[in-house]
Amino acid sequence: NSYLCNSPEAAAITRTVCDKFVKTCIDFAFFTRDTMYRTLLKSKIHRVKTTHCELHYEGSCAIDEDLMDAANIMENEQIHIWNVDNGERFVTYAIKGERGSGMISVNGSAARRACTGDLLIIASFAQVAEEKVASHQPQLVFVNEKNQQVELRHKVPTQML
């Protein structure tokens, strides 16, 4: 210890800091061990039109940056894509498409699961601690025929008969 602390006061401070750090780690481990998380819908871009399918581009889905911002989808974030026209469902990651362009480009092998003009639903999910589930609000983005945002909601309505 002499190489770390040149005085008894410094040694006491070091011990106090170390004790607090260990207590914080124990508290964190206890809290996370007993916390249940649920996977909830975080973001959805509803019924966007596929503008490009690029089989020989690196895998992923390029999404107009305006839509990514509106839906709170980050570059490289895992996304689920559901093709309304053919029923295909697949998982990939988001990359930025030209801002304001309306671009939705399905790339790589996923390009075999969509055609230009297909309607897609793009969704992402988050792990939410049980105590925050009731207050969680997803970003639900609705678009027009040019893939431009026309509405933002935070709740899926109850389905009625």
Side-chain angles (χ1 to χ4, degrees), residues 7 19 30 39 43 51 55 65 67 77 79 88 104 111 116 119 130 145 154:
S7 69
D19 290 346
F30 178 77
T39 304
S43 310
T51 60
L55 181 63
E65 279 190 79
L67 296 176
E77 183 173 350
I79 55 174
E88 289 281 357
I104 301 293
T116 301
L119 291 178
E130 184 69 26
E145 63 283 343
H154 298 286

Side-chain angles (χ1 to χ4, degrees), residues 62-115:
I63 303 170
D64 177 327
E65 279 190 79
D66 287 340
L67 296 176
M68 289 178 69
D69 290 347
N72 189 25
I73 294 175
M74 303 302 293
E75 185 175 27
N76 300 312
E77 183 173 350
Q78 182 184 83
I79 55 174
H80 295 244
I81 299 179
W82 307 315
N83 189 322
V84 175
D85 289 324
N86 68 19
E88 289 281 357
R89 299 168 77 93
F90 51 98
V91 177
T92 187
Y93 60 95
I95 62 172
K96 293 177 182 178
E98 182 181 351
R99 186 175 295 282
S101 67
M103 174 187 277
I104 301 293
S105 182
V106 181
N107 301 323
S109 61
R112 295 200 182 274
R113 296 177 179 246
C115 294

Side-chain angles (χ1 to χ4, degrees), residues 5-160:
C5 305
N6 295 330
S7 69
E9 294 83 13
I13 291 170
T14 301
R15 277 193 299 279
T16 301
V17 169
C18 288
D19 290 346
K20 286 182 181 180
F21 177 75
V22 168
K23 182 179 180 337
T24 300
C25 289
I26 291 169
D27 289 347
F28 178 76
F30 178 77
F31 175 75
T32 57
R33 183 186 71 210
D34 292 337
T35 300
M36 184 170 85
Y37 292 87
R38 293 185 187 257
T39 304
L40 301 181
L41 178 66
K42 179 183 81 70
S43 310
K44 179 174 82 165
I45 306 172
H46 193 70
R47 296 176 68 92
V48 289
K49 190 177 290 184
T50 307
T51 60
H52 299 81
C53 291
E54 302 288 343
L55 181 63
H56 298 291
Y57 191 82
E58 286 185 47
S60 62
C61 179
I63 303 170
D64 177 327
E65 279 190 79
D66 287 340
L67 296 176
M68 289 178 69
D69 290 347
N72 189 25
I73 294 175
M74 303 302 293
E75 185 175 27
N76 300 312
E77 183 173 350
Q78 182 184 83
I79 55 174
H80 295 244
I81 299 179
W82 307 315
N83 189 322
V84 175
D85 289 324
N86 68 19
E88 289 281 357
R89 299 168 77 93
F90 51 98
V91 177
T92 187
Y93 60 95
I95 62 172
K96 293 177 182 178
E98 182 181 351
R99 186 175 295 282
S101 67
M103 174 187 277
I104 301 293
S105 182
V106 181
N107 301 323
S109 61
R112 295 200 182 274
R113 296 177 179 246
C115 294
T116 301
D118 282 358
L119 291 178
L120 307 176
I121 298 169
I122 300 173
S124 66
F125 296 85
Q127 298 292 311
V128 179
E130 184 69 26
E131 64 273 7
K132 294 184 179 184
V133 167
S135 64
H136 173 73
Q137 293 190 328
Q139 297 283 104
L140 309 174
V141 176
F142 295 83
V143 299
N144 62 18
E145 63 283 343
K146 295 180 181 178
N147 289 346
Q148 296 168 338
Q149 180 185 346
V150 294
E151 186 178 356
L152 177 66
R153 288 192 232 150
H154 298 286
K155 183 176 170 118
V156 176
T158 302
Q159 184 172 342
M160 306 300 280

